[in-house]
Amino acid sequence: LSICGKLCYAIGGAPNQVAGSAAAFFLQIYLLDIAHITPFHASLVLFIGKASGAVTDPVAGFFISKSRWTKIGRLMPWMLACTPFTVVSYFFMWYLPPFVSGRVAWYLTFYCLFQALTTLFQVPYSALTMFLSTDQKERDSATAYRMTMEVLGTLIGAALQGQIVASAHVSHHCTVNPTVNTTESWHDTPSFPDPSDPLSHQAKVYMIAAGVIGGVYLLGIVILFLGVKEKDDPYALNSDRAIPFCKGLGLTMKHGPYVKLTASFLLISTAVQLEQSNFVLFCTHAADLRNHFQYLVVTILVSAAVSIPFWQKFLQRFGKKCAACGISWMIPFAVMLVTIPNLILAYFVAFVSGLSIAASLLLPWSMLPDVVDNFRLQNPHGKGHETIFYSSYVFFTKMSAGIGLGISAAGLEFTGYKPGICRQSDDVILTLKILIGAVPAILILVGLFILLFYPITEESRKETKLALEVLR
């Protein structure tokens, strides 16, 4: 694979991460403080949206696995076709409608559409790794390029969104130290007016950010199409038939390495999602860092982007299971931030969290091709199973993240979160601390414990590679 080809492949996946990062960090606070819907309704939007994307994964895998080869490949047509609709749904996801009573249905509709359409892109895009090269090192290298660019995309999305919309979350009311006699008014004074007008400043800045990110989508798909050539299945014989989807799904669910890998990383990815979705809320309401949240988000993502090459070298030298230990680094520092909310400590926590997030992003996508190769060795006379592996993996991780985000927002509703006020109650602050510190720590530790039983080692990878070369 040429460096140019790897870069074009990597750039093609970045727009999804740009948009996903903006939604992960800012959608919850947008729904609560700008659209002024209740935390319970926000939890419904987040959970049902994630669930719709998750349900779309096996459906997408089913139809893609039955797709015929075309002049531009079997996977590329899917990515080209869904991109324009993804851009439109993403823009309206951040549009503030002039009516109030139907806002929940509005955001639910377009968030579900966006999640479903990004799935139709992500499943063939991630499966495309298997059709770039037959060499494991080349695929690992392409995956490292991809993850570096996706983390940069995550950084760009959070930075763009954070800088453009920061003014929507600044209030002069919250910068005044209240006296004892005005404590009640401090709690009851909204930090921003209800922007019922879609042309209000708060609504405008979010639409500007959505338009910019929509343009990034179009640029990414053009580069992917022009720079990447998809190859047909290099191991399949002409007589081999595609594995039926239901049969393939049943086989993947019985494949031990896949089950252990998926179970581990669905817990770890849920922990990362909880950190992302609640971090801005925590900085704003629990740590008195409302003027620094966009810079802290950028610090996390710069750290993640810079450390991807380090993790790639680390896993090549010490193995992929050893590299998983880096995911746990964020735990003690996140607990310190919760117990000792300090600005300098917050930046240090952001830096270490970025290192851990980079490892959690790179490892599953680097290990999944090894699982597919292992499956191929055990089932040599079938093809088309790659999309089943990738779609069902994304299904489980999205579903678990949706459940986690839904419970997270419902917890804020239960403890009395009030949109737009300067200072939340002690119960809300405690809930945010638990969602940032305790819950992710438990999920990461359980996920890493499951990963201990993952059977594919560096030695077995080499044996599989040799056996597949003989098969080829």
Side-chain angles (χ1 to χ4, degrees), residues 200-461:
S200 66
H201 172 71
Q202 290 90 344
K204 277 183 179 178
V205 293
Y206 270 97
M207 283 190 288
I208 291 170
V212 172
I213 291 174
V216 173
Y217 254 108
L218 298 176
L219 178 63
I221 192 64
V222 169
I223 293 173
L224 178 68
F225 175 70
L226 296 178
V228 175
K229 182 174 176 59
E230 180 184 345
K231 299 176 182 177
D232 203 356
D233 190 337
Y235 296 119
L237 301 173
N238 291 333
S239 59
D240 286 346
R241 294 184 177 183
I243 298 175
F245 182 81
C246 292
K247 180 183 177 183
L249 189 60
L251 290 172
T252 59
M253 292 301 103
K254 295 175 183 176
H255 193 60
Y258 179 72
V259 172
K260 293 179 178 67
L261 179 71
T262 303
S264 172
F265 278 98
L266 70 84
L267 293 174
I268 293 169
S269 64
T270 301
V272 173
Q273 285 273 342
L274 284 173
E275 290 274 1
Q276 286 182 322
S277 63
N278 291 290
F279 187 75
V280 176
L281 282 169
F282 174 80
C283 291
T284 303
H285 298 297
D288 197 23
L289 298 171
R290 66 172 66 240
N291 295 324
H292 296 272
F293 71 80
Q294 66 267 39
Y295 306 113
L296 289 167
V297 168
V298 169
T299 303
I300 292 173
L301 298 172
V302 167
S303 169
V306 170
S307 61
I308 287 283
F310 161 76
W311 286 117
Q312 176 65 12
K313 294 291 183 184
F314 187 96
L315 64 87
Q316 285 178 345
R317 182 165 183 178
F318 299 103
K320 297 178 182 180
K321 287 180 71 172
C322 289
C325 67
I327 299 172
S328 63
W329 291 356
M330 73 167 73
I331 295 175
F333 297 102
V335 172
M336 285 173 63
L337 179 62
V338 167
T339 53
I340 316 168
N342 175 276
L343 181 59
I344 297 175
L345 179 62
Y347 276 99
F348 188 67
V349 170
F351 174 78
V352 175
S353 296
L355 299 178
S356 296
I357 288 171
S360 71
L361 290 173
L362 177 64
L363 280 172
W365 297 111
S366 180
M367 296 166 85
L368 200 53
D370 301 335
V371 173
V372 176
D373 280 346
N374 184 272
F375 181 84
R376 157 66 76 187
L377 197 59
Q378 297 179 21
N379 301 271
H381 296 292
K383 62 179 181 179
H385 57 277
E386 295 84 4
T387 52
I388 299 173
F389 273 97
Y390 281 88
S391 63
S392 53
Y393 172 78
V394 178
F395 166 79
F396 287 118
T397 52
K398 278 187 178 179
M399 184 62 76
S400 64
I403 293 171
L405 292 177
I407 294 172
S408 164
L412 293 175
E413 166 84 11
F414 179 75
T415 52
Y417 182 92
K418 294 181 180 178
I421 67 172
C422 292
R423 181 176 293 172
Q424 299 291 338
S425 67
D426 291 340
D427 288 340
V428 172
I429 292 172
L430 177 61
T431 302
L432 288 171
K433 288 181 177 181
I434 292 172
L435 292 172
I436 285 290
V439 176
I442 293 170
L443 291 174
I444 289 171
L445 290 174
V446 175
L448 292 176
F449 177 75
I450 294 172
L451 198 62
L452 290 175
F453 302 96
Y454 176 71
I456 298 178
T457 62
E458 296 307 302
E459 290 75 18
S460 67
R461 285 181 65 220

Side-chain angles (χ1 to χ4, degrees), residues 62-101:
F62 173 78
F63 285 108
I64 293 168
S65 66
K66 292 187 173 297
S67 300
R68 294 183 178 181
W69 184 264
T70 68
K71 291 181 180 180
I72 59 173
R74 186 163 61 94
L75 304 174
M76 190 67 74
W78 286 89
M79 294 180 274
L80 289 173
C82 70
T83 298
F85 300 101
T86 305
V87 173
V88 173
S89 64
Y90 181 79
F91 178 81
F92 283 112
M93 192 174 84
W94 299 98
Y95 175 74
L96 188 70
F99 47 84
V100 176
S101 58

